[in-house]
Amino acid sequence: MTSRLLHGRVLSFKSRPKSANDQASYDYYPDGGVLIHDGLIAATGDYAPVSARAGTAEVIDHRDHLILPGLIDAHNHLPQMQVIGSYGAQLLDWLNTYTFPAEARFSEPDHSARIASAYFDEMLRNGTTTAVAFCSAHKISADAYFAEAERRNMRMIGGKVLMDRNAPDGVLDTPQQGYDDSKALIAEWHGRGRGLYAISPRFAITSTPAQMEMTQALFAEYPDCYMQTHLSENKQEIALALELYPQAQDYLAIYEHYGLLGGKSLFGHCIHLSGRERSAMAETGSVAVFCPTSNLFIGSGLFNEHVTRTHGVPIAVATDIGGGTSCSMLRTMDEAYKVLQLQNQTLNPLMSFYLMTRGNAEALSLADRIGTLEPRSEADICVMDSRATPGMALRMEAAETLAEELFVLQTMGDDRSIAEVYVAGDAAKPE
Ligand code: GUN
Ligand code: ZN
């Protein structure tokens, strides 16, 4: 049995913080320990009692650093690592000009494998231990993704994108091919090691009704898979989707018609939703995924966190690489804060750190396995250094509370603040 004991300042959320001072929402141990046996957390708490149970465990000293659950990115795109920072276009032009050509290259197995490896390095460098990814329309891009996840023993969710129209031939499938490839991928990878499959129709614009019907059949056959797509990101996109599905009363109704709503359904963006759409999402437990760096970069709009939450819609947070501009969830929450500031809403630091960890795990129905440091959880852990740069160290001299420290990390931090990351108990930060 491999055993490790991490020594440091330990923070893990128990529930969604109700306010900026909600100390009941988290456990914090200033001199804490996390004991890991064979990839699972065996004990978390004050260092003295935890170390008394540690036997011959290897002790790793992270004192001064914060020990948190591994971060979770609820929506990104593996084949868009080389699309990040593409200039001067809003959503539909951005897809046509930059994204579809980049995704076409994933017909090449070597390219898929190389980018998959780089993608996982970037996730881990930024403290992200679980992500939900769209791969390209090519089955081999999803094979490369899951093979790399398995090699690194990571709990990763993803799927090949389904898209059969309104894009160049090199990135399209057909309803039958998309169905067959998804089915083969589910058989091969869903529940193998730590991999989980997400059925991934890109969005209504790039799927014919025939493909949506086959997606419906697939999701009905595999209800324990996830379903991920895009919804209501950009006004031109909404108008085109409704032109293509003229019977639908609104954008969400297209997906609703094909049975794609539910507690394992993840809808990227959800910026320009109506009250009806928000209510229908809430009733079905469908998740709205907030992607702030992408929404600002592509100029899509401001996600209304307050209205979405008060309707009762579960909310997750994500980078949306490569519409998003950083693989860092810290950079993501910094931009989330600014998006809400522009709407006179506030995102307190406890809420940000909850969302990146337990909140996203709850949105993925995985809080019993990841997103916390509770015993029996998988030992995916992120260690953060709040003084990682001279500027941060100077700012931290004036920080007095845990909440202030978290806010400094979110506002000034990036991959340099990730001191170490553990995947199922093993150190995994790339060089
Ligand atoms: N809508 C459909 N596809 C995409 C994509 O790849 N990125 C973003 N941001 N929106 C989309
Ligand atoms: Zn996306």
Side-chain angles (χ1 to χ4, degrees):
M1 181 159 78
T2 311
S3 296
R4 290 202 174 92
L5 173 60
L6 311 187
H7 189 185
R9 297 190 294 123
V10 175
L11 174 64
S12 177
F13 284 88
K14 295 189 284 190
S15 60
R16 180 158 66 81
K18 294 186 184 64
S19 70
N21 314 308
D22 184 1
Q23 296 184 1
S25 66
Y26 60 85
D27 286 320
Y28 178 56
Y29 306 98
D31 183 32
V34 179
L35 180 62
I36 303 164
H37 287 327
D38 280 343
L40 297 179
I41 293 174
T44 294
D46 289 321
Y47 187 71
V50 173
S51 68
R53 292 181 48 188
T56 57
E58 176 193 8
V59 179
I60 303 176
D61 189 353
H62 288 303
R63 275 175 290 177
D64 286 345
H65 294 166
L66 274 172
I67 300 176
L68 295 147
L71 308 182
I72 301 170
D73 181 351
H75 176 127
N76 66 33
H77 297 258
L78 164 80
Q80 295 179 17
M81 291 298 287
Q82 295 179 312
V83 176
I84 300 169
S86 292
Y87 172 78
Q90 299 226 341
L91 180 63
L92 300 180
D93 290 336
W94 175 84
L95 287 169
N96 287 314
T97 309
Y98 299 113
T99 306
F100 294 152
E103 295 197 10
R105 294 193 58 198
F106 285 75
S107 61
E108 301 159 29
D110 290 352
H111 185 69
S112 288
R114 183 170 86 85
I115 301 295
S117 173
Y119 165 95
F120 279 89
D121 280 348
E122 280 309 294
M123 290 298 118
L124 291 171
R125 201 190 310 290
N126 283 287
T128 296
T129 50
T130 290
V132 188
F134 287 82
C135 303
S136 73
H138 315 94
K139 178 175 177 289
I140 55 162
S141 74
D143 282 319
Y145 173 80
F146 283 111
E148 192 65 30
E150 180 172 69
R151 199 175 72 70
R152 298 175 193 238
N153 193 22
M154 288 172 69
R155 182 157 294 290
M156 295 295 285
I157 303 167
K160 83 151 222 103
V161 84
L162 296 158
M163 50 191 296
D164 68 339
R165 67 168 168 188
N166 288 326
D169 285 348
V171 292
L172 293 180
D173 55 14
T174 63
Q176 191 65 49
Q177 191 69 50
Y179 175 86
D180 292 345
D181 285 349
S182 300
K183 220 171 148 121
L185 286 163
I186 292 166
E188 175 119 24
W189 297 110
H190 182 63
R192 168 166 155 184
R194 302 180 73 199
L196 295 168
Y197 198 80
I199 296 163
S200 306
R202 182 173 213 119
F203 62 164
I205 291 174
T206 47
S207 285
T208 59
Q211 178 158 71
M212 292 297 249
E213 272 171 30
M214 297 202 82
T215 304
Q216 175 173 23
L218 201 55
F219 196 32
E221 268 177 83
Y222 299 100
D224 64 325
C225 287
Y226 294 87
M227 193 294 303
Q228 61 172 347
T229 189
H230 296 86
L231 172 67
S232 209
E233 176 177 6
N234 163 291
K235 292 198 174 148
Q236 260 186 308
E237 170 214 12
I238 298 167
L240 181 52
L242 293 175
E243 235 174 78
L244 293 166
Y245 288 92
Q247 295 85 357
Q249 61 172 314
D250 51 41
Y251 196 166
L252 183 74
I254 303 170
Y255 299 126
E256 226 168 341
H257 177 76
Y258 293 104
L260 300 182
L261 275 55
K264 298 195 95 176
S265 298
L266 312 171
F267 292 90
H269 306 296
C270 298
I271 297 171
H272 310 283
L273 294 181
S274 67
R276 192 211 77 81
E277 291 174 293
R278 289 195 176 97
S279 298
M281 289 186 71
E283 274 160 29
T284 53
S286 302
V287 177
V289 188
F290 176 21
C291 306
T293 74
S294 170
N295 298 161
L296 293 174
F297 183 77
I298 311 185
S300 302
L302 305 177
F303 178 82
N304 194 325
E305 200 265 352
H306 178 73
V307 170
T308 308
R309 191 173 297 288
T310 50
H311 267 84
V313 182
I315 295 174
V317 290
T319 64
D320 191 34
I321 287 300
T325 51
S326 170
C327 292
S328 164
M329 287 304 295
L330 291 172
R331 305 298 336 115
T332 300
M333 297 319 294
D334 182 39
E335 301 291 282
Y337 177 82
K338 296 171 191 169
V339 166
L340 299 200
Q341 279 284 80
L342 285 167
Q343 303 172 88
N344 282 317
Q345 298 174 23
T346 46
L347 179 64
N348 74 65
L350 294 180
M351 184 69 172
S352 282
F353 276 72
Y354 161 79
L355 282 170
M356 290 187 279
T357 56
R358 183 179 192 119
N360 269 357
E362 285 176 355
L364 298 173
S365 312
L366 286 175
D368 56 337
R369 301 199 213 176
I370 57 171
T372 80
L373 299 177
E374 286 168 19
R376 292 176 297 284
S377 243
E378 296 168 3
D380 292 343
I381 293 169
C382 175
V383 182
M384 289 196 198
D385 178 0
S386 313
R387 297 172 183 78
T389 67
M392 291 178 80
L394 190 66
R395 173 63 184 85
M396 279 300 295
E397 288 175 16
E400 286 170 5
T401 65
L402 174 65
E404 272 185 89
E405 177 175 4
L406 297 179
F407 201 55
V408 169
L409 269 168
Q410 167 183 315
T411 309
M412 302 177 79
D414 53 29
D415 59 320
R416 291 169 294 180
S417 315
I418 308 303
E420 187 53 277
V421 61
Y422 294 87
V423 172
D426 292 328
K429 187 167 189 218
E431 288 309 310

